[in-house]
Amino acid sequence: MPYKSRTESKELQILKLLYRRMDLPDQMKQYYFNLKKGFEGEVKFDLLTKELQCECFIFNDLMLSINNTAIQIDSLIIASETIYIFEVKNYEGDYYYESDRLYMKNKVEVNNPLIQLKRSESLLRQLLQSLGYHLPIVASVVFINPEFTLYHAPLHLPFIFPTQLNRYFRKLNNLQSKLSRKHKDLANQLFSLHCEESPYRQLPSYDFDRLRKGITCAKCDSFFTYIERMNVCCKECGNNELIATAVMRNVEEFKLLFPDRKITTNAIYEWCKIIESKKKIKRVLETNLKIVGANRWSYYQ
């Protein structure tokens, strides 16, 4: 059963918003694309683990701090006799393996996921031992993209390729796994140790004045939106959204980007831009949030 679901990290959520509202530096833009593609690959892998019928606890994305060192495990499965951890890669295209290094076909070297995997395995083993558990760990790198090919990979490496995934999960599903109270206790302990925020978060500098204002389409992210009666309408895809819903969606964006800034009628009016009446903004905020203070000093929580 899924013990912990996967959600977009705050880092990815913020970068997604910034990508719409400012010109990201090329390096940061590429970092965002890689992060987004990696998350999409992890979600595909979750669809496979979701179908497991054997008794197990599944952690989709686990961030742990062990001996003052942070590790991120893409997927972890607790079975009765073994713990399985997976480093999921959404690489696409032709790659080759040479001298313990991974290269794209154009001879550009990329990070070898085995390095991250071995580090995670070692630190997790230390953590389990400190908690009094001695289950063996099986660690694998999963290449989830069906358009991926790796040449010259040694057979002994713990790689799972796209064409092997169905067979691998059939084998995993046939495990005679029976979970006990001790497994449940371990799952609870790992869940309690999960860190929501990565210490390695990378974000560009930004401020309110530099970001593009307006309500983006909830469906296609376009800024080509306009108000018609009670709706925010998109010129690009034709999607309609209630003004109140659109305003509150943008309030959530505002809170994510500026957690230390107060939510005021003026701030949300400027942020949404296309709503001409401040009274409409004020009504939406009063309906959905708690007002703090009075008169011009008031704000919403």
Side-chain angles (χ1 to χ4, degrees), residues 9-229:
S9 65
K10 276 193 179 180
E11 178 184 33
L12 180 54
Q13 293 177 47
I14 291 172
L15 283 173
K16 186 185 293 185
L17 296 177
L18 294 179
Y19 178 70
R20 297 177 197 159
R21 295 184 179 270
M22 67 179 284
D23 291 327
L24 291 174
D26 289 343
Q27 189 173 359
M28 185 57 65
K29 194 180 295 183
Q30 189 59 53
Y31 176 71
Y32 163 62
F33 291 154
N34 291 341
L35 208 62
K36 181 172 176 285
K37 189 169 185 179
F39 179 76
E40 290 167 353
E42 291 161 6
V43 169
K44 286 182 183 177
F45 187 73
D46 295 345
L47 294 176
L48 296 172
T49 60
K50 186 180 178 181
E51 296 301 314
L52 286 172
Q53 298 298 312
C54 62
E55 282 195 29
C56 60
F57 292 124
I58 302 168
F59 286 80
N60 299 320
D61 187 21
L62 188 62
M63 179 71 66
L64 300 170
S65 180
I66 304 167
N67 298 332
N68 296 317
T69 303
I71 62 167
Q72 193 256 335
I73 299 173
D74 291 336
S75 285
L76 179 147
I77 297 176
I78 300 174
S80 59
E81 302 295 331
T82 309
I83 291 179
Y84 300 86
I85 63 172
F86 302 93
E87 178 77 13
V88 181
K89 291 301 176 186
N90 198 13
Y91 294 159
E92 185 176 352
D94 294 327
Y95 290 70
Y96 66 94
Y97 202 88
E98 186 177 278
S99 303
D100 295 328
R101 294 177 182 174
L102 190 62
Y103 298 89
M104 298 173 69
K105 198 173 182 180
N106 60 5
K107 298 185 179 179
V108 173
E109 184 177 357
V110 298
N111 290 336
N112 186 344
L114 280 177
I115 297 173
Q116 173 69 25
L117 183 72
K118 289 176 181 177
R119 176 175 170 271
S120 297
E121 181 184 359
S122 174
L123 289 169
L124 178 63
R125 185 176 291 107
Q126 294 174 46
L127 174 64
L128 293 176
Q129 288 172 353
S130 71
L131 296 174
Y133 298 93
H134 301 281
L135 288 169
I137 299 171
V138 174
S140 305
V141 175
V142 175
F143 296 102
I144 194 70
N145 197 309
E147 300 294 322
F148 172 81
T149 301
L150 180 62
Y151 298 95
H152 311 311
L155 293 176
H156 69 277
L157 295 181
F159 289 162
I160 303 173
F161 297 107
T163 54
Q164 299 173 315
L165 279 166
N166 288 337
R167 276 177 288 145
Y168 181 86
F169 274 91
R170 280 198 298 269
K171 183 178 177 181
L172 203 59
N173 212 26
N174 288 330
L175 289 175
Q176 299 300 310
S177 180
K178 192 71 176 174
L179 298 180
S180 66
R181 181 67 204 178
K182 191 172 184 180
H183 295 97
K184 178 73 170 178
D185 291 342
L186 172 58
N188 287 337
Q189 287 176 292
L190 290 179
F191 188 82
S192 70
L193 293 171
H194 171 69
C195 309
E196 289 295 335
E197 287 299 310
S198 168
Y200 306 120
R201 193 164 81 172
Q202 297 182 44
L203 293 173
S205 60
Y206 63 92
D207 58 57
F208 183 83
D209 294 332
R210 289 170 53 206
L211 297 186
R212 184 176 180 179
K213 311 301 189 295
I215 296 178
T216 58
C217 174
K219 186 176 180 180
C220 73
D221 294 335
S222 168
F223 273 96
F224 294 106
T225 54
Y226 62 96
I227 302 298
E228 187 174 280
R229 296 184 181 178

